[in-house]
Amino acid sequence: MLPDSDTLLQLVGGLYEAAADPALWGQFLRRLSFATCATSAALVMYDAGQEAYTLSSSWKVHPEATRLYQEHYGSLDLWAKRALSKPNAWVGVSGSLCSLSELGTTEVYNDYMVKFGFEHGLFALVANTRTRFASISLYRDSSCSAFDASQGEIVRFLAPHAQRAFRLHLCFSELKTRSVGLETALDSISIGIIVLGHKEEIVTMNRCAAELVQENDGILATRVGLRAHLQIESDLLAKTIRQAISRTKSSGPVIGGTVLISRRAREPLQVLVSPIRNSTFPGPHGVAAVAFIIDPSRRSPPTEDILRTLFGLTPAECRIALLLGDGHAPRKIAEMVGVSENTVRSQIKSIFSKTGVRRQSQLIRLLLSNSGVTIQEELFT
Amino acid sequence: MHAEQVRSRILAALYEAPLDSRRWEEFLRLTALAVGGEAASLLVHDFSNTESAMSKEWGFHPEVAKLYAVHYGAIDVWRSAVTASHDWLGTSQRFVSFAALLHTEFGNDLLLRYDIPHGIFAMVERGPARVANLSICRSARAGAFDEKDLEIVRFLKPHMQRAYRLDSEFSAARSLSGGLLTALNAISKGVILIGPKLQVIAMNQVAERILAANDGLKAERNGLRTESNTESTRLDELISEAIATSHGKGLDAAGSMRISRRDLPPLHVVVSPVRGTDFGPRRQVCAVVFINDPAQRVRPACDTLHAMFGLTPAECRVALLLGDGHAPGQIANMVGVTRNTVRSQIKSVFAKTGVKRQSELVRMLLQNADIAIQSKAKPGSRS
């Protein structure tokens, strides 16, 4: 018999809440365990590509049990292995997968399941494709009897919702990780990038833009959007952004606007604003424009490491190449480094031949084109 | 059909809607039919710009949605009555009597004209800047809705609120990811996102162009490949190291290498790990490959130089040729003017852009060329 409809609807609600916030799977498992008198519960996943078994969320499963499952016992889990051959949406009890007497002869049962209270199981497969298997698994320890039909009925009622919620969850987490990947790529670029919403509000910015805003010189990030210190520039910037946003829906070439933003002591920032055409995602949550900010005073030469691997420059040559890249003349470089001008000239000759350029301006071009990708070492340590 | 079955079909459509927005229409149809309604919509009222519109609808005359958005949304007497209430669930006569409704422009010119004078309303979202509600309508002939009709709507209300919130969160996530890709597409370097099994997950347009040339670097089902086995092995190593670093196992920051091509100079490749996120069952993007094509001529658009510094078309041409590394004498020959003309144009370019040396000009031009929004994807841009 099904419990009262309030309890069931709470469970359904909990499933869909977990779709957008994976931290809530644990809460759902707790509620479901109460409704089915389970002593513990988990979301068991198998990734065929990585051949990895995991308990990705759980309730009352010992942390040690979770660790051991991932490291060793997951691949021996007879229940999961047999459930793999069941169709998607299958709901059933452990007894239908293998008898307790058969299970009793296995290593996984004697060394693992007994110890952590996995005596009886009730499963709902929420995904079973070539690449991914996921099951909402309810467990009882040996002090309990096996799950019976009434608990099966609850799980069967929830199963279509659980599958849908799991699909939502996967889709959402893939979108999120994709965005994180894209953001990481943008963080490695030495141009400030600010993504703006339909109401001119700042949705997100990359590392370089965050640094420029932090300097509080010229450009400002406010609650209502991007502004400048000088009123006249601020108005022009706001107008340019509004224009770009209004072009989001129009057709024709993607034309952005440009604004120069003065700073106290340094060269002005160059700001380009471009509309985002994304007709597939209309609505109030959409992003509408990107502002690109170039700081002409920002020197971001490629690392010596990159010059060495890409062109085989020696450390001395790297140093001279970078000084040439800053626009210094050979004589000046000789003074700075403390060697003769002839030495510098012969090193320049070697740099030119290794990099395949013929003029200093070409070398600057080469160095700059490898410098937009600034690798933020501190990120990865 | 059994009431339980109807409900579960409605719930299925409702919770599929965040994944497939066409299911909203099905949800509205099923819900309207379940209460004997003839049309239903999801109305969104935006207070920041006082716009009201049917964001999803089923069963209305095609004119109604249009008229509502351009005119009647602003004078919707139902809206003002309903939004004033805290408990947002009821039939239309609870908020405005039928007699009073007929005295309004909204009632007379829209509801009566299109024969939708009876309604049921339920709050779906109530935010500081935005309110969304379900609205089910039917004709005068069908008569007013009564309390009994509200039962299923009352049951659906929390689910609608949850599904709508999920839908909003999903749209925001999709839109953000689309916007970030747009920004990445404007960058003049090739960018490729790599997954845990070395597979290509996404790339920007420059990377697509480089791979489409099928010279040196190729994308295969199981990852990036090069013409030579040694280079493929090295590339795999770099990417695997980056993935290991992303998983917190390796120490390497980033690696770089060259990838040879048949006729063109080699591509410069930098492979960088990705900061991890614990969201989701497994990491999707584990490494980023940046590609620089030295043969690609990167130049800013004349439009940009004009808008930013007020360069004339002639000055733009000279600036770009200087940026390409040509000497003033060469430029005079190429353009077909005297050296003196070129020199005075260069002087003017330097003054307008605020640079003092050719090297600074090259730097400035290249920085602007990094963003290719106005002159993007021109065929034959390789020199």
Side-chain angles (χ1 to χ4, degrees):
Chain A
M1 202 192 74
L2 284 171
D4 64 279
S5 61
D6 274 1
T7 310
L8 281 180
L9 287 176
Q10 263 194 4
L11 286 168
V12 171
L15 268 172
Y16 291 113
E17 297 290 341
D21 182 357
L24 297 175
W25 280 105
Q27 201 178 333
F28 165 76
L29 292 172
R30 177 174 58 85
R31 282 194 193 151
L32 182 59
S33 299
F34 285 148
T36 55
C37 305
T39 51
S40 62
L43 186 61
V44 178
M45 309 250 276
Y46 171 64
D47 186 321
Q50 302 189 322
E51 291 181 20
Y53 287 85
T54 49
L55 300 181
S56 77
S57 281
S58 62
W59 177 72
K60 287 240 172 148
V61 172
H62 196 281
E64 186 69 3
T66 303
R67 191 180 62 79
L68 288 171
Y69 191 84
Q70 255 124 261
E71 281 173 7
H72 181 62
Y73 291 105
S75 57
L76 301 175
D77 182 349
L78 204 56
W79 291 344
K81 205 161 269 173
R82 299 225 168 135
L84 268 172
S85 64
K86 300 288 183 189
N88 196 2
W90 177 81
V91 172
V93 294
S94 51
S96 70
L97 294 170
C98 68
S99 66
L100 262 180
S101 56
E102 184 191 354
L103 196 63
T105 63
T106 62
E107 174 203 338
V108 60
Y109 178 79
N110 291 306
D111 297 354
Y112 177 76
M113 294 170 71
V114 171
K115 187 173 165 199
F116 294 107
F118 303 127
E119 184 81 9
H120 311 287
L122 170 58
F123 312 101
L125 302 195
V126 291
N128 195 1
T129 63
R130 213 163 37 81
T131 52
R132 180 182 278 114
F133 167 88
S135 156
I136 291 179
S137 304
L138 300 163
Y139 305 108
R140 284 181 179 175
D141 59 32
S142 54
S143 69
C144 308
S145 59
F147 289 98
D148 64 29
S150 72
Q151 289 99 37
E153 209 180 329
I154 297 174
V155 173
R156 207 162 280 121
F157 170 84
L158 289 172
H161 294 291
Q163 283 174 56
R164 194 174 298 115
F166 191 72
R167 256 191 302 127
L168 284 163
H169 162 76
L170 282 185
C171 169
F172 202 41
S173 73
E174 272 171 24
L175 271 174
K176 285 233 169 169
T177 41
R178 188 184 163 94
S179 287
V180 168
L182 291 169
E183 276 172 348
T184 311
L186 290 173
D187 274 347
S188 318
I189 287 164
S190 57
I191 296 169
I193 293 171
I194 300 185
V195 178
L196 302 158
H198 279 280
K199 299 205 172 97
E200 303 171 44
E201 80 279 13
I202 294 169
V203 177
T204 183
M205 58 175 90
N206 73 344
R207 168 179 290 263
C208 175
E211 284 166 8
L212 288 172
V213 163
Q214 198 100 53
E215 287 170 9
N216 194 28
D217 187 5
I219 201 145
L220 300 170
T222 73
R223 210 171 39 78
V224 291
L226 214 51
R227 294 291 179 268
H229 273 298
L230 282 181
Q231 191 60 47
I232 184 167
E233 292 175 353
S234 201
D235 293 345
L236 185 60
L237 181 61
K239 189 176 142 213
T240 309
I241 289 171
R242 271 196 295 277
Q243 266 172 2
I245 291 173
S246 72
R247 289 203 185 101
T248 303
K249 289 186 188 89
S250 70
S251 53
V254 183
I255 301 286
T258 54
V259 184
L260 283 179
I261 306 280
S262 350
R263 292 189 287 182
R264 284 190 292 272
R266 287 171 295 169
E267 298 146 89
L269 296 171
Q270 301 159 10
V271 181
L272 287 93
V273 187
S274 167
I276 296 178
R277 293 273 171 73
N278 240 330
S279 55
T280 37
F281 319 120
H285 306 284
V287 297
V290 200
F292 298 93
I293 310 170
I294 298 165
D295 177 0
S297 65
R298 191 172 271 250
R299 299 272 190 275
S300 51
T303 62
E304 291 199 8
D305 186 44
I306 288 177
L307 291 181
R308 224 173 20 244
T309 32
L310 287 182
F311 307 109
L313 300 191
T314 66
E317 286 167 350
C318 283
R319 191 160 54 156
I320 286 173
L322 293 176
L323 288 170
L324 272 176
D326 283 340
H328 297 295
R331 188 180 312 156
K332 180 89 186 294
I333 294 175
E335 269 171 39
M336 293 164 88
V337 181
V339 295
S340 78
E341 197 179 329
N342 275 341
T343 313
V344 171
R345 287 201 185 279
S346 83
Q347 280 173 327
I348 291 178
K349 218 166 134 184
S350 162
I351 293 168
F352 279 18
S353 90
K354 282 180 180 175
T355 55
V357 304
R358 282 185 297 273
R359 305 165 60 94
Q360 184 175 0
S361 57
Q362 288 174 339
L363 182 69
I364 292 171
R365 172 177 287 278
L366 186 75
L367 294 179
L368 268 174
S369 57
N370 275 301
S371 70
V373 189
T374 56
I375 303 304
Q376 313 280 351
E377 297 214 24
E378 75 274 21
L379 272 185
F380 308 113
T381 48
Chain B
M1 211 189 319
H2 192 265
E4 279 303 317
Q5 275 176 295
V6 174
R7 287 181 183 198
S8 71
R9 274 188 65 193
I10 295 178
L11 283 186
L14 179 61
Y15 283 116
E16 286 288 340
L19 286 174
D20 176 3
S21 67
R22 285 167 303 183
R23 300 298 288 270
W24 279 113
E25 199 184 314
E26 184 189 347
F27 161 75
L28 291 170
R29 178 171 58 83
L30 294 172
T31 309
L33 294 177
V35 298
E38 292 159 1
S41 70
L42 203 56
L43 296 177
V44 177
H45 313 290
D46 190 328
F47 298 139
S48 67
N49 51 9
T50 61
E51 271 177 13
S52 287
M54 293 183 166
S55 94
K56 309 280 189 280
E57 55 97 10
W58 169 81
F60 285 101
H61 187 281
E63 281 295 301
V64 173
K66 208 161 64 184
L67 289 171
Y68 190 82
V70 298
H71 180 65
Y72 292 100
I75 53 164
D76 180 345
V77 287
W78 280 346
R79 182 198 65 187
S80 36
V82 168
T83 47
S85 143
H86 274 290
D87 170 33
W88 258 66
L89 180 75
T91 59
S92 50
Q93 64 269 37
R94 191 194 134 188
F95 300 103
V96 186
S97 77
F98 193 64
L101 190 66
L102 297 186
H103 281 104
T104 64
E105 182 192 346
F106 177 72
N108 260 313
D109 295 358
L110 185 75
L111 302 183
L112 280 191
R113 183 168 159 211
Y114 291 98
D115 197 17
I116 42 171
H118 300 293
I120 286 180
F121 312 109
M123 193 259 277
V124 173
E125 184 190 84
R126 180 172 206 150
R130 196 173 62 143
V131 159
N133 72 281
L134 169 77
S135 164
I136 304 173
C137 293
R138 73 182 178 199
S139 61
R141 190 170 42 81
F145 289 101
D146 59 31
E147 286 299 310
K148 184 171 54 63
D149 297 322
L150 289 178
E151 195 191 322
I152 189 157
V153 181
R154 188 169 287 123
F155 159 79
L156 287 173
K157 201 171 121 185
H159 295 286
M160 287 191 293
Q161 293 172 350
R162 187 180 297 115
Y164 191 72
R165 191 160 41 75
L166 285 174
D167 190 84
S168 300
E169 284 176 27
F170 272 46
S171 325
R174 276 191 209 108
S175 175
L176 176 64
S177 147
L180 294 171
L181 190 60
T182 305
L184 215 50
N185 276 338
I187 301 300
S188 58
K189 270 173 241 308
V191 181
I192 302 179
L193 306 186
I194 303 287
K197 279 167 263 166
L198 282 74
Q199 80 276 28
V200 173
I201 286 174
M203 63 179 86
N204 70 350
Q205 285 171 351
V206 174
E208 273 171 21
R209 223 159 48 222
I210 291 170
L211 291 176
N214 197 21
D215 187 4
L217 194 61
K218 291 175 290 194
E220 285 176 5
R221 207 170 43 78
N222 51 354
L224 293 173
R225 287 285 163 275
T226 68
E227 303 279 342
S228 101
N229 281 335
T230 0
E231 287 179 358
S232 282
T233 311
R234 179 68 191 132
L235 184 60
D236 268 355
E237 273 170 23
L238 285 179
I239 294 175
S240 301
E241 275 169 30
I243 292 174
T245 307
S246 299
H247 287 147
K249 287 176 198 151
L251 290 168
D252 281 353
S256 55
M257 68 177 289
R258 297 210 283 185
I259 289 171
S260 356
R261 293 190 287 183
R262 288 189 295 272
D263 303 317
L264 295 164
L267 295 168
H268 303 162
V269 170
V270 174
V271 185
S272 150
V274 170
R275 251 182 313 174
T277 157
D278 290 319
F279 197 99
R282 61 171 195 175
R283 193 84 40 76
Q284 203 200 3
V285 178
C286 294
V288 185
V289 175
F290 295 95
I291 311 164
N292 176 38
D293 178 358
Q296 192 193 358
R297 180 145 54 141
V298 278
R299 281 174 151 197
C302 276
D303 288 350
T304 310
L305 295 180
H306 172 70
M308 201 102 73
F309 306 108
L311 297 194
T312 66
E315 286 165 351
C316 281
R317 193 163 49 167
V318 169
L320 293 177
L321 288 170
L322 268 179
D324 287 345
H326 298 294
Q330 267 178 306
I331 295 175
N333 282 341
M334 292 163 89
V335 181
V337 295
T338 67
R339 279 182 188 223
N340 277 341
T341 310
V342 170
R343 285 196 195 285
S344 83
Q345 283 172 334
I346 292 177
K347 218 166 130 182
S348 166
V349 167
F350 279 23
K352 285 180 178 175
T353 56
V355 306
K356 286 185 275 298
R357 285 190 304 237
Q358 185 176 356
S359 62
E360 283 177 40
L361 184 71
V362 172
R363 180 186 299 282
M364 192 277 291
L365 292 175
L366 272 172
Q367 282 178 323
N368 269 294
D370 263 344
I371 308 160
I373 49 177
Q374 281 150 318
S375 59
K376 67 181 187 191
K378 273 192 196 140
S381 58
R382 283 150 179 256
S383 59

